[in-house]
Amino acid sequence: MALSFPLAAPIAGAQQLEEVIVTAQKRAESLQDVPISVSAIQGEQIQDAGIPNMAALADYVPNLHIADAPVNTNIYMRGVGSGNNQGFEQSVGMYIDGVYMGRGRQYRAAFLDVERVEVLRGPQGTLFGRNTVAGAVNITSASPEMGEAFNGQLAASYESNEGELYEGYISGALTDTLAARLAFKSRETDGYARNAFLGESEGRIDEFTYRLTLAWQPTDDLDINFKYSNSDYERIGATTTGKVFLTADQRNELVPNRSAFADTAYSIMDMFFPEYADITQQEFTIYKDNGYGQSQADGLGIGINPDSSENDIDNAVLTVNWNLGGHTLTSVTGYSEYRYVDGTDVDWLPLQFIHRDDDQRFEQWSQELRITSPGGEFFDYVAGFYYDTSDLDFDRRVTLDTNFDGLFPQFLSNVLSGGAIPPEALPQNLLAVQTGGAYGPNQIARNRFYQLESESWALFGQGTFNFTDRLRLTVGVRYTEETKDVISRQFTSDSNTGLGTPSDSYFLALIQATSFNAYRYNYDEDRETDALLPSFNLQWDVGEDSMLYASFSQGFKSGGFTAADDGEPGDLDQGSFPCAPNPDFSVDVASCYDPTNPNDDFEFDDEEVDAYEIGGKHTLLDGAMRFNWALFYTEYSDLQTAVFEGLGFNVKNAASSEVLGLEVDSMWQATDALRLGLNFAWLDASYDEFADGPCTAIQIDADPFCGSPLGVSENDLSGEPTLYASDYSASFLFDYVRPIGGVEFFMSGEANYRDEFNSAGDNDPLDVIDSYTKVNLRLGVRGDWWELMAYGRNIFDEEVYMQSFDIPVLVGSHAQYLEEGQIWGARLTARF
């Protein structure tokens, strides 16, 4: 399939669509000749539509969902993805200039000087390989050309929310055999949600990205290309807000067994912030303290960092293409590294209560060698070898403040004496009340260190038998082996000894275990896996401008180790703590359970997929219309799902799931001046067998062991829809260009619709995101070397939430993550 956006350049050719070239099969081919469901988007189209990154691009691609979340990035294709657990690689593999990018955080890098983006739907296990069980995103950045004169482009945009965007490039030949290209992008915005508690905007962004490309062609048969890019991205605040907040009557009815922590937090909210529920129902409005407590002027009140995200991403790739008598030998050497530091106010309330800090580092080296036949023979082929090694490690701290930044003693004073007893004369925190004064630090924490070393190698090959000019069969196979080694350590701490120092307090260990299922442990595990993945594709050219295909392929996504904090060691039952205190109320956990023995949920299994697809690609009306379609059926076994439990996302393998769908893409050059496009997708993605699905918060309140061997109830999700699986999604677009008095007037726009979808692993109906439509519009004039454009994104100011989830501890209440609202702006572009 091909997806096209409005073009910056004049439309050439009377009522004919331009040919789209893709590399979805590791060789340059016309999109209409590739028997895969593909959306291809050109770089100038991305720039003109004002699409800053992959998350924004997903609005335009049916059956693709990419959205930032408070901690991670959700990436789903055809209702299949990986979710929020940081131990996951993504089910939708991203490749930038041929280098695999498997971590969700890498999707946050800004689009910069892109030549094209290809979105390949369905398993791509043969040629793309690692973990592409749902699909692949293939991004190619622009490169300089040999012999070209120096040229460039500069653009400046100014938009709502004090947004400023500056971007450009300069490119040209340095010598007869050497050329260079330098591109940059700088973006600032003041945020799009109003924080009514702090009196400021949320979601402020400051990012800067650049890329240097060097192209060297020492001989006619040898091309060497080197790219280095860096992206520095900072988000201040987060647009997450409580949207379902239980009243006193509702919580007594729905969650009567709530914990003392939940009951206290609810009661303090009732007393000090009774307006919370009303304020958070206002559009584009949130109400939270971001970790600052009662006064931002006092400095940070809890955690290490206020609610924010700082990301630094480095990518480098060396690509060598060597022509050997018509065959092409290709070497792709890749390096990717990132570090991010997040602070997250995970109670999403105006309380200083729960805060999470993450410091994650990732490094990867990869090498691919492949040989490509000349093409046009009876047997055409691509074959190669792939290897990569990566190291992921992070430090995480989750902090709880049971003093509530001084509100707890005030709360006690009001409850016990109507304010007559001075707060300082009463217990200062909930822990002191619970333990009768024996244990009373204001803050407690759990500290997590996680290191995952991965190594993978594969042999792959794909060959096409061209039986006739119209009939061909493509057969592929990939064999891969992967090893993973993990170190996972956790300790608990308090403000008595210092939150970064392990505490041996018996009370602390007891409270963390029984209230939050958090324990001290020290795991050191490893796993090995391998897979042989075949694929078959039969293609029939019905005529000069029409092609049908049928395919079968298998995909594989390796298992791993959960990065969630929640979870008891293997010797214990959930939420239990059998240890006895020492006389000084310290505890020796090694004497009552083995902290080196993880439970069965620590490791999750491989995910496998069988995919069937039939489709057609048709060029109609003498080249003026393109109509492509694909009908697919996919079966997943041991589907990896991320489930929110307490304060983190744990992992379950759903027994199986089925995905059935139809995708249609059409583009029509209606006149010389007007182009119309319509893309549509229908999807039926459901769990086939998932009897032990995760329980909702209300179910767990009624049965704390719901869904576990100790429980008496379960949440059978068999037949229920998978995550982020909209039944329908569609995009309509138009592009109108008309010369007027020596300049060119243009107008273009899109309407992007997405049906409702569930965004929580327990399929709680409270976490269903409503359907929405975003409408974008652009118009302007351009000359030979300049362009002036006015634009609007989400022009009808649709309030869109991309994720909904339980508020930690406050069982029964839910928060949602808000996307950008209406944006108006103008851009001036100069080319030279």
Side-chain angles (χ1 to χ4, degrees):
M1 292 187 177
L3 181 67
S4 179
F5 298 118
L7 301 177
I11 297 174
Q15 293 181 242
Q16 280 204 346
L17 294 169
E18 75 281 359
E19 184 179 29
V20 178
I21 302 298
V22 297
T23 55
Q25 297 190 115
K26 301 293 186 180
R27 65 169 79 231
E29 299 172 287
S30 171
L31 177 79
Q32 296 302 96
D33 294 333
V34 176
I36 302 173
S37 179
V38 183
S39 291
I41 308 100
Q42 303 304 310
E44 63 268 22
Q45 299 161 356
I46 290 172
Q47 184 182 26
D48 281 355
I51 302 171
N53 50 34
M54 279 303 307
L57 181 71
D59 282 338
Y60 300 81
V61 182
N63 276 343
L64 177 63
H65 177 100
I66 301 175
D68 288 348
V71 176
N72 210 337
T73 301
N74 295 304
I75 303 136
Y76 283 75
M77 190 178 293
R78 293 178 172 175
V80 175
S82 293
N84 276 321
N85 192 282
Q86 292 169 311
F88 277 143
E89 287 96 1
Q90 294 301 314
S91 299
V92 182
M94 181 171 66
Y95 296 79
I96 300 179
D97 294 313
V99 179
Y100 171 68
M101 309 283 175
R103 293 284 159 184
R105 193 59 67 121
Q106 292 169 305
Y107 274 79
R108 295 193 180 185
F111 278 143
L112 174 66
D113 199 26
V114 172
E115 180 178 307
R116 68 180 177 276
V117 176
E118 302 165 22
V119 179
L120 289 65
R121 301 182 186 88
Q124 306 296 323
T126 301
L127 294 181
F128 286 89
R130 284 202 65 188
N131 303 320
T132 55
V133 292
V137 177
N138 187 27
I139 301 174
T140 302
S141 63
S143 292
E145 297 181 4
M146 294 300 151
E148 70 173 346
F150 268 94
N151 64 95
Q153 177 175 294
L154 294 173
S157 303
Y158 302 92
E159 59 186 35
S160 309
N161 303 325
E162 300 185 12
E164 297 182 13
L165 173 64
Y166 306 96
E167 58 186 324
Y169 71 86
I170 184 170
S171 180
L174 302 176
T175 70
D176 291 341
T177 60
L178 181 66
R181 189 179 182 103
L182 179 64
F184 78 95
K185 175 183 285 188
S186 175
R187 176 181 175 224
E188 292 184 10
T189 180
D190 198 34
Y192 52 87
R194 180 178 68 94
N195 188 326
F197 181 74
L198 295 178
E200 58 186 29
S201 297
E202 290 284 314
R204 301 189 298 278
I205 293 173
D206 186 355
E207 66 179 331
F208 182 78
T209 304
Y210 69 92
R211 179 186 297 112
L212 173 65
T213 303
L214 296 174
W216 183 37
Q217 189 175 358
T219 71
D220 291 341
D221 294 326
L222 183 62
D223 290 304
I224 300 173
N225 188 291
F226 173 77
K227 297 176 183 285
Y228 169 77
S229 64
N230 174 266
S231 179
D232 189 356
Y233 171 91
E234 180 180 8
R235 187 201 71 226
I236 301 172
T239 57
T240 306
T241 184
K243 274 297 179 181
V244 176
F245 192 78
L246 299 185
T247 65
D249 289 341
Q250 288 173 331
R251 70 187 75 132
N252 289 334
E253 176 187 356
L254 299 175
V255 288
N257 304 309
R258 59 192 179 275
S259 70
F261 291 90
D263 195 54
T264 303
Y266 269 128
S267 298
I268 289 177
M269 287 291 297
D270 290 343
M271 179 176 292
F272 294 100
F273 306 102
E275 72 282 9
Y276 176 78
D278 291 335
I279 291 176
T280 54
Q281 292 306 306
Q282 300 172 18
E283 287 194 344
F284 299 101
T285 301
I286 62 180
Y287 196 66
K288 60 191 180 74
D289 71 309
N290 283 353
Y292 289 108
Q294 298 308 298
S295 174
Q296 192 172 12
D298 292 341
L300 182 62
I302 188 173
I304 303 171
N305 302 286
D307 203 321
S308 60
S309 179
E310 296 183 15
N311 304 258
D312 189 82
I313 303 172
D314 287 289
N315 293 324
V317 56
L318 178 66
T319 304
V320 180
N321 286 297
W322 188 13
N323 187 350
L324 300 172
H327 289 71
T328 301
L329 179 64
T330 300
S331 169
V332 181
T333 306
Y335 175 76
S336 181
E337 177 187 32
Y338 69 74
R339 179 179 181 180
Y340 73 77
V341 177
D342 282 0
T344 311
D345 179 12
V346 291
D347 56 63
W348 296 291
L349 302 171
L351 291 181
Q352 182 172 299
F353 184 29
I354 312 173
H355 200 81
R356 170 171 162 165
D357 291 281
D358 289 85
D359 186 343
Q360 183 175 127
R361 299 157 295 278
F362 177 76
E363 184 177 37
Q364 171 187 288
W365 285 95
S366 64
Q367 176 64 54
E368 179 169 294
L369 292 171
R370 66 176 182 267
I371 184 76
T372 306
S373 67
E377 306 292 333
F378 170 75
F379 182 68
D380 299 327
Y381 65 88
V382 177
F385 168 80
Y386 176 82
Y387 172 82
D388 79 23
T389 179
S390 65
D391 188 358
L392 169 75
D393 63 85
F394 65 77
D395 296 283
R396 178 188 301 147
R397 178 184 297 170
V398 177
T399 309
L400 284 87
D401 187 341
T402 60
N403 171 264
F404 295 91
D405 197 25
L407 292 182
F408 180 80
Q410 294 182 47
F411 165 74
L412 275 186
S413 176
N414 291 337
V415 169
L416 297 177
S417 66
I421 302 175
E424 57 270 18
L426 294 169
Q428 294 300 293
N429 54 67
L430 177 60
L431 299 180
V433 173
Q434 287 183 310
T435 62
Y439 181 71
N442 284 339
Q443 295 184 1
I444 60 174
R446 64 191 192 204
N447 296 262
R448 178 79 180 279
F449 171 76
Y450 182 94
Q451 182 179 46
L452 180 67
E453 295 181 356
S454 302
E455 187 175 42
S456 174
W457 67 269
L459 293 172
F460 62 90
Q462 177 172 291
T464 299
F465 297 91
N466 297 293
F467 297 124
T468 70
D469 291 342
R470 294 193 174 187
L471 184 66
R472 60 192 63 89
L473 173 67
T474 300
V475 179
V477 66
R478 188 182 189 100
Y479 175 76
T480 184
E481 290 188 4
E482 186 167 314
T483 61
K484 292 182 178 179
D485 297 275
V486 69
I487 295 173
S488 182
R489 301 189 180 103
Q490 183 165 279
F491 67 85
T492 56
S493 60
D494 58 35
S495 53
N496 289 343
T497 59
L499 294 178
T501 303
S503 171
D504 62 357
S505 167
Y506 167 78
F507 295 108
L508 172 65
L510 176 68
I511 290 167
Q512 288 277 20
T514 56
S515 297
F516 305 106
N517 203 36
Y519 295 82
R520 186 187 307 176
Y521 53 72
N522 186 355
Y523 304 149
D524 189 346
E525 301 289 314
D526 62 77
R527 72 187 316 272
E528 296 183 10
T529 191
D530 62 79
L532 183 68
L533 306 174
S535 64
F536 303 90
N537 190 300
L538 184 64
Q539 181 180 352
W540 176 37
D541 294 342
V542 181
E544 289 289 331
D545 298 316
S546 187
M547 175 264 284
L548 299 174
Y549 68 89
S551 68
F552 167 77
S553 62
Q554 289 187 327
F556 156 82
K557 181 183 174 190
S558 63
F561 304 95
T562 180
D565 305 339
D566 309 61
E568 69 282 354
D571 295 340
L572 303 179
D573 292 329
Q574 180 182 348
S576 67
F577 191 69
C579 305
N582 295 323
D584 62 352
F585 291 103
S586 64
V587 66
D588 181 10
V589 297
S591 65
C592 59
Y593 70 85
D594 183 0
T596 67
N597 179 32
N599 65 27
D600 292 340
D601 290 338
F602 179 64
E603 181 177 350
F604 53 90
D605 295 329
D606 299 341
E607 179 179 308
E608 298 177 349
V609 57
D610 292 335
Y612 306 83
E613 183 169 308
I614 59 174
K617 299 191 174 184
H618 314 278
T619 303
L620 309 172
L621 304 179
D622 294 325
M625 176 176 285
R626 184 166 53 236
F627 182 84
N628 299 338
W629 60 276
L631 180 65
F632 56 89
Y633 174 74
T634 312
E635 294 179 328
Y636 287 87
S637 301
D638 292 322
L639 184 70
Q640 298 167 5
T641 60
V643 180
F644 187 75
E645 296 181 348
L647 299 180
F649 288 85
N650 221 323
V651 178
K652 277 185 175 291
N653 286 94
S656 62
S657 66
E658 294 183 343
V659 180
L660 174 66
L662 171 68
E663 293 159 349
V664 175
D665 169 63
S666 60
M667 187 67 62
W668 179 32
Q669 189 71 52
T671 70
D672 289 350
L674 179 63
R675 176 179 300 177
L676 302 173
L678 178 64
N679 308 293
F680 168 81
W682 167 74
L683 184 68
D684 182 5
S686 61
Y687 300 111
D688 184 35
E689 296 181 21
F690 199 5
D692 60 343
C695 296
T696 67
I698 292 176
Q699 289 174 319
I700 292 174
D701 183 80
D703 176 6
F705 303 109
C706 177
S708 74
L710 298 176
V712 296
S713 61
E714 63 181 18
N715 188 20
D716 188 349
L717 296 181
S718 302
E720 293 295 315
T722 61
L723 291 175
Y724 301 101
S726 298
D727 288 346
Y728 300 98
S729 57
S731 295
F732 170 76
L733 53 99
F734 76 94
D735 179 23
Y736 179 76
V737 180
R738 181 175 181 178
I740 299 177
V743 299
E744 192 170 65
F745 169 79
F746 62 92
M747 182 169 62
S748 57
E750 309 89 31
N752 301 315
Y753 170 78
R754 191 172 298 262
D755 205 1
E756 67 177 23
F757 56 87
N758 202 313
S759 65
D762 55 16
N763 278 33
D764 192 324
L766 292 174
D767 291 318
V768 172
I769 303 296
D770 292 336
S771 61
Y772 61 86
T773 301
K774 294 182 182 179
V775 178
N776 309 312
L777 185 64
R778 298 170 295 279
L779 56 89
V781 293
R782 63 170 70 97
D784 293 336
W785 59 269
W786 59 273
E787 176 182 285
L788 180 62
M789 180 177 73
Y791 59 88
R793 298 193 300 269
N794 192 7
I795 61 175
F796 296 113
D797 208 21
E798 182 103 1
E799 188 181 43
V800 176
Y801 289 91
M802 297 311 296
Q803 187 180 19
S804 180
F805 37 82
D806 297 297
I807 294 180
V809 180
L810 276 78
V811 57
S813 293
H814 295 251
Q816 296 183 340
Y817 190 80
L818 176 68
E819 280 216 331
E820 187 179 63
Q822 182 187 78
I823 296 293
W824 296 104
R827 186 182 75 192
L828 177 63
T829 302
R831 303 178 182 90
F832 57 89

